[in-house]
Amino acid sequence: MLNIESPVLPLEGRCQCGEVRYRITELPLSLYACHCQECQKQSSSGFGLSMPVKRDALEFSGIEMKLWKRKAESGNDVFCHFCPNCGTRLLHESAADAPVVNIKAGTLSNAKWLSPVAHLWVSSAQTGTVFASDAIQFETQPNSFKQLREAWLAKYEESGV
Ligand SMILES: [Zn+2]
Ligand SMILES: [Zn+2]
């Protein structure tokens, strides 16, 4: 029997100052940590946490976020949304109005249950980083996110969410 704390829907989150808030009404599609240098800069920490969520299952409220764009390694744009008041990054997407977007999961009001199923860019992970033994590790970027979604579903299927 797995002993994991299960997410309770809807999931709620907000920026650091609370001016931007959101709700997630369906189980997210995965959760992974990225240790690339862009994510280290963005989080000013060891890694970024990405939680892919269907846009249809996501509701934002409060003030409008600001947008900053950067190029990914692939050459594609990454659309980065943040609170204009406190600067907290809340959302990344690969295109404007993409059907699946990445919530920066550290902004969830309850982040205690979070356990990434995979680690990306472990080749640039900080020396002190500890990885869960059951998490999948990728040296750089995975070719596909299918494995990450399957690992996530396997984890929460039994929890009856
Ligand atoms: Zn804020
Ligand atoms: Zn990254």
Side-chain angles (χ1 to χ4, degrees), residues 15-19 83 85-86:
C15 66
Q16 200 170 4
C17 78
E19 292 288 331
C83 171
N85 190 41
C86 70

Side-chain angles (χ1 to χ4, degrees), residues 34-36 38-39 70 121:
C34 181
H35 301 259
C36 82
E38 292 287 346
C39 287
R70 71 168 177 88
W121 290 91

Side-chain angles (χ1 to χ4, degrees), residues 5 31 49 51 105-108 110-116 152 156:
E5 198 190 331
L31 175 70
L49 265 187
M51 175 172 269
T107 58
L108 285 169
N110 175 14
K112 176 88 174 159
W113 62 278
L114 297 178
S115 176
W152 171 262
Y156 291 107

